[in-house]
Amino acid sequence: MTRTPLQSLLVTGGAGFIGSNFVHFWRKRHPNARLTVLDALTYSGNRANLQGADGVDLIVGDICDEALVDRLLADRAIDTIVHFAAESHVDRSIAGPDAFVRTNILGTHALLKAARRAWLKERSRPHLFHHVSTDEVYGTLGPDDPAFSETTPYAPNSPYSASKAASDHLVRAYHHSYGLQTTVSNCSNNYGPFQFPEKLIPLFLLNALQGKPLPIYGDGMQVRDWLHVEDHCEGVSLILEGGQPGECYNVGGGAELPNLQVIDTLCAVLDRLFATDPALAGRFPDAPPARGLPMASLKSFVADRPGHDRRYAIDCSKLMRELGYRPARSFGEGLEATVAWYLAHEPWWRAILDGSYREPGRAPGGAH
Ligand code: NAD
């Protein structure tokens, strides 16, 4: 099998957080590549995330719709699928796991079947199916355990991570059973532009600006490895260009931190910005610094999430050694840049908070 030409990419979930960052990243690096986004525009998908991505076609549709995927693969001569589409929020999976089983397991399987039909049935064509997954499939670590590696046994603890684990296994099986050329990446907690404000960093940032409580689960000492989304995109790009079919690669940011430290750092960044830019108090009069109080005064401890994994840590030395991956941003730099992005894109997040981002035809304030 010759290496995939990467001429025509189908990016599933490309209107979501990581997918849209990947689309912008790939468009900049490969201005002539053909890019098609397939996205159902669920609550976390947003047309505005793709504003400024010239020549990218957004097809609003469901990855479970096999006939649609068949048509896209044929009509657009797709040679590479980069699969981000998923239900992605752990709390939602605990409240209602069905959507996670449907999209993450059945949806991934629908894509695999369509890929097999398009690429392997008559004449085998150069292709690649890259599946984006999570470090949560590995379960949880004790304080002194070694970080997750690609050979760590799977032990998912939430319906979200169980559904991602199942999809990883299906991708693996399609490689071994049918010879589909697949790669898988398992990454840690991402943060950066366009992240839906239900995840920790954007939720706490926007709550802080509005003077709302910062609800910290349990004792706040759950440890995560924080990965700036552009470093993640770089990792995926290296895998697309040089990864070995059938292989899995961990992608991490080298920033293992307890949630409480992330929240305190975020509060400190905001306090400093309010102290140096008096206009912020006018824009956000309900934020504590506008009333002479520190952002940290909003911290409030709430009951822990059921089955909350205590620690994730990711060993990405395989990706570093084999494909030259290096996360380019420290957590401090990445967080400063993220706060600056949200401050500069208020119409984008206001439209999410008031629900108007879901109105047909509307795409405010999304330029990258
Ligand atoms: P997201 O929720 O922001 O985006 C998911 C996108 O998928 C949305 O645009 C949504 O509309 C789309 N989608 C959902 N169901 C669909 C369906 N049935 N058909 C077509 N499109 C559908 O998620 P994200 O944070 O960007 O995550 C992207 C991928 O990365 C996911 O596979 C997730 O499991 C994985 N991941 C995310 C993180 C993280 O920190 N965000 C960490 C590890 C792995």
Side-chain angles (χ1 to χ4, degrees), residues 48-238:
N49 296 1
L50 291 171
Q51 251 188 10
D54 295 332
V56 174
D57 292 331
L58 168 63
I59 309 295
V60 179
D62 193 325
I63 57 169
C64 298
D65 182 346
E66 287 184 44
L68 170 64
V69 179
D70 282 340
R71 259 199 325 277
L72 290 176
L73 295 186
D75 293 353
R76 292 163 181 262
I78 302 287
D79 55 42
T80 307
I81 294 176
V82 193
H83 177 33
F84 293 96
E87 289 292 337
S88 68
H89 193 49
V90 175
D91 287 341
R92 286 179 190 260
S93 83
I94 294 168
D98 296 64
F100 289 72
V101 170
R102 180 185 179 277
T103 290
N104 299 0
I105 306 178
L106 300 180
T108 300
H109 191 224
L111 287 175
L112 287 165
K113 284 194 280 180
R116 183 177 169 221
R117 278 193 293 271
W119 294 334
L120 297 178
K121 267 290 157 69
E122 284 146 20
R123 192 171 54 85
S124 186
R125 295 201 280 123
H127 66 268
L128 183 68
F129 186 110
H130 180 71
H131 175 60
V132 177
S133 190
T134 168
D135 60 356
E136 301 191 28
V137 296
Y138 299 122
T140 186
L141 293 170
D144 301 320
D145 289 337
F148 301 130
S149 79
E150 291 81 359
T151 56
T152 302
Y154 276 26
N157 290 321
S158 71
Y160 164 66
S161 53
S163 67
K164 293 297 289 186
S167 63
D168 293 9
H169 290 318
L170 283 168
V171 173
R172 176 189 164 89
Y174 267 66
H175 174 72
H176 287 283
S177 298
Y178 306 119
L180 195 73
Q181 305 294 285
T182 61
T183 45
V184 176
S185 52
N186 295 86
C187 68
S188 52
N189 274 41
N190 283 226
Y191 67 101
F194 298 121
Q195 188 165 31
F196 194 82
E198 65 184 350
K199 303 282 187 341
L200 191 142
I201 289 178
L203 174 71
F204 278 43
L205 168 56
L206 301 191
N207 276 12
L209 292 176
Q210 297 170 94
K212 294 183 175 169
L214 308 179
I216 302 166
Y217 278 142
D219 61 1
M221 293 310 287
Q222 305 85 357
V223 173
R224 303 291 182 259
D225 173 10
W226 292 89
L227 170 65
H228 190 275
V229 67
E230 283 192 23
D231 285 329
H232 183 196
C233 292
E234 179 69 46
V236 170
S237 166
L238 289 168

Side-chain angles (χ1 to χ4, degrees), residues 244-269:
Q244 282 303 310
E247 289 295 316
C248 301
Y249 299 88
N250 283 349
V251 190
E256 215 187 297
L257 296 168
N259 286 346
L260 208 48
Q261 195 175 329
V262 170
I263 294 157
D264 285 336
T265 310
L266 175 64
C267 288
V269 168

